């Protein structure tokens, strides 16, 4: 069969309508979403997604981590499927498109193939990975990490949120414990379409990011032990001040990341003081340092320096210090043959494009461990993401979805 021409495109309005419909579930307080993993809102989003996929002729499978697999049959049932997915869970103050665009663009791809009565040799499986964000249960990309054999399922089940609820209990509570062994499924290839979550594509005025790599990551959880004491009557020289140690460590992380420029980031997004009372010096401070760079050696050097200097800061202040890695993956190189398929699809469709390294982590990073995998990106306004003001245009959304359609169909091989 000849490769589809440049008129082979998705229905941009239907994709946009689906995005807006899904965005109504788990609304945020400022126009975005709060549909955190394994919450009732996540369950509601899953149910809507299941209804849509089954209406498009897909059959559902769910694995023991709660990841959803919606299969459109191919003409060769023995052919390994082409998986196309991302995630429906969001940050607490997330946007409407992070993850959701990739899942619903995959659904739109199937809807378009149905409209045109196109058959493919390989089945196509739309995938909604559970707990991509890692906001409620660290690490991020947890279910895809278990799928790739990089994270132990019992460890994952035992992860708890700030209220002490465990992943396993919450998955059971919302009724989404599947029956499939995690990772039993084999993939012919994996594609993920995602907003860039950074400023490059918009600044360069490119509609398509041809993602060649993804930077590596460490999440280092620091637990600092101080001495609870009165903030008013305790003399400065008597304090065992875990809060001060945290402040100095944050400053040091900034310094390490700036010294590693260009191409490195470091910071902290979450911390917890105990007892977290205004006039009690904290007995315990827990926070997670997030460092990332595409350069393997630099990533390892940054981790070593932050751990060594963090321990020294605590020793100087007499504060106890424990450091536990709670998230990690090495820099990822995506499958060159799929990357060039994405690039040529953008060219066929006449979309401006550029090669790009993903700054954010994605389920594709783990999928790349077990199958040829790659990603497609579209710009986002101001490069903003993990913020309720996250925004894209309908045109950007459709351009990437068209590239996804072409690259996936070429990989799944049209038969009719
Ligand atoms: O942390 C990440 O990069 C992703 O947004 N979960
Ligand atoms: Mn995402
Ligand atoms: Mn995200």
């Amino acid at each position: 069969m000849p490769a589809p021409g440049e008129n082979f495109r998705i229905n941009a309005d239907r994709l946009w309508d689906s995005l807006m419909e899904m965005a109504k579930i788990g609304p945020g307080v400022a126009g975005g979403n709060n549909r955190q993993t394994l919450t009732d809102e996540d369950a509601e989003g899953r149910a809507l997604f299941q209804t849509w996929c089954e209406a498009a002729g897909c059959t559902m499978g769910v694995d023991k981590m709660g990841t959803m697999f919606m299969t459109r049959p191919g003409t060769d049932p023995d052919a390994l499927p082409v998986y196309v997915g991302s995630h429906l869970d969001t940050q607490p103050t997330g946007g409407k498109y992070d993850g959701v665009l990739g899942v619903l663009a995959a659904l739109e791809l199937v809807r378009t193939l149905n409209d045109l009565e196109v058959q493919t040799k390989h089945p196509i499986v739309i995938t909604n990975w559970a707990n991509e964000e890692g906001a409620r249960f660290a690490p991020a990309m947890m279910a895809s990490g278990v799928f790739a054999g990089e994270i132990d399922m019992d460890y994952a089940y035992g992860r708890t949120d700030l209220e002490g609820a465990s992943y396993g209990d919450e998955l059971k509570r919302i009724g989404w414990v599947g029956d499939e062994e995690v990772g039993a499924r084999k993939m012919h290839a994996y594609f993920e379409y995602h907003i860039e979550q950074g400023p490059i594509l918009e600044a360069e005025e490119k509609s398509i990011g041809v993602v060649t790599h993804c930077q590596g990551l460490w999440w280092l959880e620091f637990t600092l032990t101080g001495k609870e004491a009165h903030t008013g009557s305790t003399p400065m020289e008597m304090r065992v001040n875990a809060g001060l140690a945290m402040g100095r460590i944050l400053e040091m992380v900034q310094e390490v990341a700036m010294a590693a420029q260009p191409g490195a980031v470091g910071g902290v997004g979450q911390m917890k003081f105990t007892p977290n009372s205004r006039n009690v010096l904290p007995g315990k401070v827990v926070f997670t340092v997030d460092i990332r760079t595409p350069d393997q050696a630099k990533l390892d050097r940054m981790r070593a320096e932050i751990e060594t200097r963090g321990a020294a800061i605590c020793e100087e202040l007499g504060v106890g210090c424990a450091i536990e890695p709670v998230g990690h993956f090495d820099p990822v190189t995506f499958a060159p043959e799929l990357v060039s398929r994405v690039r040529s699809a953008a060219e066929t469709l006449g979309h401006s494009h550029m090669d790009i390294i993903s700054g954010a982590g994605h389920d594709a990073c783990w999928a790349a461990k077990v199958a040829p995998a790659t990603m497609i990106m579209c710009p986002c306004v101001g490069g903003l993401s993990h913020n309720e003001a996250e925004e894209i245009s309908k045109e950007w959304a459709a351009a990437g979805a068209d590239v996804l359609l072409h690259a996936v169909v070429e990989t799944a091989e049209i038969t009719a």
Side-chain angles (χ1 to χ4, degrees):
M1 290 287 285
E6 60 100 27
N7 296 325
F8 184 50
R9 293 177 190 256
I10 57 104
N11 180 326
D13 291 334
R14 183 170 56 190
L15 171 59
W16 195 256
D17 293 346
S18 301
L19 285 164
M20 295 305 114
E21 199 59 34
M22 183 59 75
K24 291 174 187 165
I25 299 176
V29 294
N33 276 109
N34 179 4
R35 196 172 53 242
Q36 296 181 65
T37 197
L38 310 191
T39 58
D40 293 338
E41 293 76 17
D42 182 25
E44 200 185 331
R46 286 164 170 264
L48 177 60
F49 171 63
Q50 177 185 355
T51 303
W52 282 343
C53 289
E54 288 175 345
C58 296
T59 50
M60 183 168 80
V62 183
D63 74 13
K64 290 180 176 174
M65 280 296 292
T67 293
M68 300 168 74
F69 302 99
M70 312 304 279
T71 301
R72 179 183 198 259
T75 53
D76 176 355
D78 299 328
L80 287 181
V82 175
Y83 284 70
V84 197
S86 196
H87 61 93
L88 292 174
D89 67 309
T90 76
Q91 287 286 338
T93 53
K96 299 192 281 284
Y97 312 100
D98 173 359
V100 187
L101 176 62
V103 175
L104 298 187
L107 170 59
E108 176 50 36
L109 180 157
V110 164
R111 285 169 166 169
T112 300
L113 297 184
N114 292 345
D115 292 347
L116 302 176
E117 296 178 355
V118 168
Q119 292 300 316
T120 57
K121 174 187 171 195
H122 296 263
I124 291 172
V125 179
I126 310 170
T127 306
N128 169 30
W129 295 103
N131 191 28
E132 188 280 341
E133 290 293 0
R136 192 180 171 203
F137 304 101
M141 291 81 80
M142 189 158 92
S144 51
V146 177
F147 185 92
E150 298 287 333
I151 298 174
D152 175 76
M153 193 167 85
D154 291 340
Y155 171 81
Y157 265 50
R159 302 299 288 157
T160 56
D161 66 9
L162 291 177
E163 279 67 50
S166 76
Y167 186 93
D169 289 348
E170 283 294 279
L171 187 63
K172 212 175 293 167
R173 183 185 67 79
I174 65 166
W176 277 92
V177 181
D179 56 4
E180 292 185 10
E181 290 307 318
V182 185
R185 287 172 172 265
K186 301 304 168 209
M187 299 178 172
H188 177 58
Y190 176 81
F191 288 87
E192 182 160 357
Y193 173 33
H194 205 288
I195 62 172
E196 179 199 339
Q197 300 182 291
I200 299 167
L201 293 176
E202 186 185 43
E204 298 296 328
E205 296 179 353
K206 303 292 184 195
S207 303
I208 302 294
V210 179
V211 189
T212 57
H213 301 79
C214 183
Q215 60 180 354
L217 160 154
W218 278 106
W219 279 5
L220 304 173
E221 185 176 87
F222 278 73
T223 300
L224 308 187
T225 308
K227 186 176 178 192
E228 291 181 19
H230 198 298
T231 52
S233 54
T234 307
M236 294 304 277
E237 68 277 7
M238 278 179 63
R239 297 182 177 205
V240 183
N241 194 336
L244 174 60
M246 182 198 78
R248 288 187 181 168
I249 289 170
L250 265 60
E251 189 63 45
M252 177 269 289
V253 169
Q254 175 74 11
E255 193 193 302
V256 169
M258 293 314 290
Q261 295 307 307
V265 291
V268 170
Q270 182 193 64
M271 59 101 185
K272 187 181 177 189
F273 273 40
T274 303
N276 203 31
S277 167
R278 290 177 185 78
N279 44 10
V280 178
L281 291 169
K284 191 162 92 165
V285 174
V286 182
F287 58 98
T288 301
V289 171
D290 179 332
I291 52 172
R292 311 193 193 199
T293 172
D295 179 321
Q296 181 71 58
K298 190 187 280 188
L299 183 66
D300 295 340
R301 270 200 318 275
M302 288 171 72
R303 175 190 173 185
E305 185 177 348
I306 285 168
E307 289 186 342
T308 307
R309 291 178 62 182
I313 286 167
C314 290
E315 191 173 349
E316 192 189 325
L317 294 170
V319 167
C321 177
I323 306 171
E324 181 195 356
V326 293
H328 170 62
F329 57 86
D330 287 332
V332 176
T333 300
F334 288 123
E337 72 277 13
L338 298 186
V339 171
S340 54
R341 201 162 284 168
V342 166
R343 195 180 294 113
S344 54
E347 279 154 11
T348 303
L349 290 157
H351 290 312
S352 57
H353 59 87
M354 63 181 282
D355 288 7
I356 193 168
I357 294 173
S358 176
H362 302 284
D363 294 306
C365 299
W366 287 132
K369 291 273 185 191
V370 294
T374 198
M375 295 188 71
I376 300 162
M377 283 186 172
C378 75
C380 48
V381 175
L384 188 64
S385 183
H386 285 193
N387 181 309
E388 291 206 45
E390 177 186 281
E391 200 49 74
I392 63 174
S393 72
K394 187 193 286 191
E395 291 69 32
W396 283 343
D402 285 334
V403 171
L404 182 73
L405 172 69
H406 279 243
V408 166
V409 162
E410 194 179 335
T411 307
E413 298 175 44
I414 290 182
T415 52

